[in-house]
Amino acid sequence: MYRKILITTDGSAVSSKTACAGVQFAEQLGAEVLALFVAPEYQYPVYVEIIPPSYPSEQEYRAAMQRAGHDHTRDVADSCARRGVRCETLTAFHESAALKIVDMAQQHGCDLIFMGSHGRSGWGQLLLGSVTNKVLQHSTIPVLVHRLIQEPGSK
């Protein structure tokens, strides 16, 4: 059914649990995985004339985000290795994580995007927006949204 599944990760607990479920899903289908971390582009300080000495350079920022992306996607790759699922990892930079997810899925020939939802509703979702909702709006390939089941009494 699906041969290549893009699994997004941002390093959060929800994302990690979703990635584990995505890898298990890929194993059941015999599909390969593209694990993707999208970092925001470097932001120059508002007052460029007075850059604080502690403010990272663009190269330092990109290197730090590459390390973070490697750490987050390595968890997915390790899970794939334990299950015998072929995996490629990728860190990308873009202002809109949702648009980059859709773009990377198309560029890498993925036929499914597997991602989680933080489960916000109402005003929280309206004010904060949702990467998942934006991917659903822009993607031309199927998107499977994994929703964690909350334990009774937990928030």
Side-chain angles (χ1 to χ4, degrees), residues 11 37 39 62-74 91:
F37 172 76
R62 291 183 78 79
M65 289 297 100
Q66 285 286 355
R67 285 190 302 274
H70 178 266
D71 290 345
H72 299 322
T73 58
R74 183 182 59 219
T91 297

Side-chain angles (χ1 to χ4, degrees), residues 104-148:
M104 290 289 97
Q106 291 171 344
Q107 280 186 29
H108 289 266
C110 298
D111 43 20
L112 178 71
I113 299 171
F114 191 103
M115 59 191 308
S117 173
H118 287 276
R120 291 185 191 101
S121 60
W123 286 107
Q125 183 177 4
L126 181 63
L127 294 173
L128 296 173
S130 166
V131 172
T132 303
N133 280 341
K134 290 174 186 167
V135 169
L136 286 166
Q137 290 171 0
H138 294 282
S139 182
T140 57
I141 65 170
V143 179
L144 195 155
V145 179
H146 180 260
R147 183 94 184 252
L148 291 177

Side-chain angles (χ1 to χ4, degrees), residues 10-54:
D10 62 10
S12 68
V14 169
S15 175
S16 295
K17 290 180 181 177
T18 297
C20 287
V23 170
Q24 185 177 9
F25 185 67
E27 178 189 29
Q28 291 170 351
L29 296 176
E32 63 184 90
V33 167
L34 172 64
L36 175 66
F37 172 76
V38 179
E41 291 286 357
Y42 179 77
Q43 295 293 314
Y44 287 94
V46 176
Y47 301 103
V48 177
E49 308 85 47
I50 30 180
I51 298 175
S54 61

